[in-house]
Amino acid sequence: MLTILAAGSVFFPGLFLLSKQCLKSIPALRWSEGDAVIVSARLVSSIQAVMASSAGYIIASSCDDIIEDQHWLTSTYIMFAVPYFVYDIYAMFMCYWYKLRVKGHEEASAAPQHMWSALTSYLRREFLMVLHHVVMVTVCFPVSVFVRQGRGDYFQGIMFMAELSTPSVCLGKILIQYKQQHTLLHKVNGALMLITFFICRVLLFPYLYYVYGRYASIPFHLVPLSVPWHCNLGAALLMAPQLYWFSLICRGALRLFTGSSRSQRRCAGPTTTTDGGMAAATALQPANGYRAPSAEPDLATH
């Protein structure tokens, strides 16, 4: 157990440092420290998501009995991934710190000048995400490894597969960071993010209740009354932030596509001047469909 925890403690921070160094030193790139930190953090999150989703698929597909069947990869990957959530709190803070330092526009006057004030500001801004990570380490980890007693590996595997939505979230954040909201890639990725987040995270617990209902021959609407109260409480607490983050994604998608349509109409049609003449529409902003970057949902991977 300690060996697996140590491996995860080395792998994720090590991958982050290696990626950052490569982005800074490769002659064709030569990225700045801030850019390298931000992209490396997203890259590590995406790799962890692919690993978790792959492990989840292997586990879930190998369980015929969704309650009693076990797979060695379940507890192994839980222990390997726990250090990731600790590392990611640090990585998110470094991203926040460098974004404050390099933005240099609307947030410059309010940017914290000292590390402590930056940390306080970060905890206020990212409180829900930090809380999510802390709960994953202090509650979900011991429950999944010690309290379950080896039962329900299928459900654990399905929950791992929720990470399928993380790569598109990370790519979207990178595109927003580098002002690429007007590109086709950003629009396609936004649609993919909306779909995968809804399927993998919003529908996650309703699906688990449905599967258990079929297993136990219980109608779907009666499943919450048939499982222990702490299962319902845990599901509700884990699903609540997913619904909140999904609402932010929906708002961003609405701004993206409706804003793009309005901008195209403005570009296509002439505008009436104050004296009744007609003038061509000029000096329009890029049709990115987004408000200021500070209004965008800054989601984590997980």
Side-chain angles (χ1 to χ4, degrees), residues 112-132:
Q113 300 300 315
H114 304 287
M115 187 65 74
W116 178 253
S117 58
L119 178 60
T120 304
S121 175
Y122 160 71
L123 291 176
R124 286 198 304 265
R125 178 183 173 91
E126 302 292 345
F127 173 77
L128 185 58
M129 186 62 70
V130 173
L131 178 63
H132 169 270

Side-chain angles (χ1 to χ4, degrees), residues 152-301:
D153 278 16
Y154 174 84
F155 295 98
Q156 194 68 59
I158 295 297
M159 293 181 71
F160 284 165
M161 294 176 66
E163 293 290 337
L164 276 171
S165 63
T166 299
S168 59
V169 172
C170 291
L171 178 58
K173 291 166 71 174
I174 292 174
L175 293 173
I176 291 173
Q177 178 69 23
Y178 296 103
K179 306 297 186 295
Q180 298 300 308
Q181 297 98 315
H182 60 284
T183 62
L184 177 61
L185 175 61
H186 183 65
K187 293 178 173 61
V188 172
N189 182 74
L192 181 63
M193 177 173 61
L194 187 69
I195 294 170
T196 56
F197 199 96
F198 178 73
I199 294 175
C200 298
R201 293 182 180 265
V202 175
L203 294 183
L204 172 64
F205 288 102
Y207 172 75
L208 294 180
Y209 276 61
Y210 166 75
V211 170
Y212 181 78
R214 289 187 57 189
Y215 173 82
S217 299
I218 302 172
F220 175 74
H221 66 281
L222 295 179
V223 172
L225 303 178
S226 305
V227 299
W229 67 269
H230 55 269
C231 293
N232 291 322
L233 178 62
L237 292 177
L238 289 174
M239 188 165 183
Q242 310 302 331
L243 293 175
Y244 170 71
W245 289 323
F246 182 68
S247 70
L248 296 182
I249 293 175
C250 289
R251 286 167 53 190
L254 184 64
R255 287 196 298 268
L256 173 64
F257 293 106
T258 61
S260 177
S261 299
R262 286 196 300 266
S263 297
Q264 289 174 359
R265 286 197 296 268
R266 287 198 300 268
C267 291
T271 58
T272 306
T273 61
T274 55
D275 61 357
M278 302 300 291
T282 58
L284 292 176
Q285 296 297 322
N288 54 37
Y290 279 83
R291 297 178 183 174
S294 59
E296 292 304 317
D298 194 15
L299 302 181
T301 64

Side-chain angles (χ1 to χ4, degrees), residues 1-15 75-84 87 141:
M1 175 177 177
L2 292 178
T3 302
I4 299 172
L5 285 171
S9 300
V10 171
F11 177 78
F12 294 110
L15 182 61
S75 295
T76 300
Y77 190 78
I78 291 173
M79 290 185 288
F80 180 76
V82 161
Y84 164 79
Y87 141 82
F141 166 63

Side-chain angles (χ1 to χ4, degrees), residues 23-84:
L23 292 174
K24 290 170 57 180
S25 60
I26 292 177
L29 297 177
R30 298 287 186 182
W31 286 12
S32 67
E33 177 80 11
D35 289 341
V37 164
I38 293 171
V39 174
S40 296
R42 311 304 184 215
L43 177 63
V44 174
S45 294
S46 297
I47 292 175
Q48 193 281 140
V50 172
M51 294 173 63
S53 301
S54 301
Y57 175 78
I58 294 171
I59 294 166
S61 61
S62 68
C63 294
D64 295 324
D65 188 309
I66 65 173
I67 301 296
E68 301 298 337
D69 282 359
Q70 298 182 14
H71 195 285
W72 65 268
L73 191 55
T74 307
S75 295
T76 300
Y77 190 78
I78 291 173
M79 290 185 288
F80 180 76
V82 161
Y84 164 79

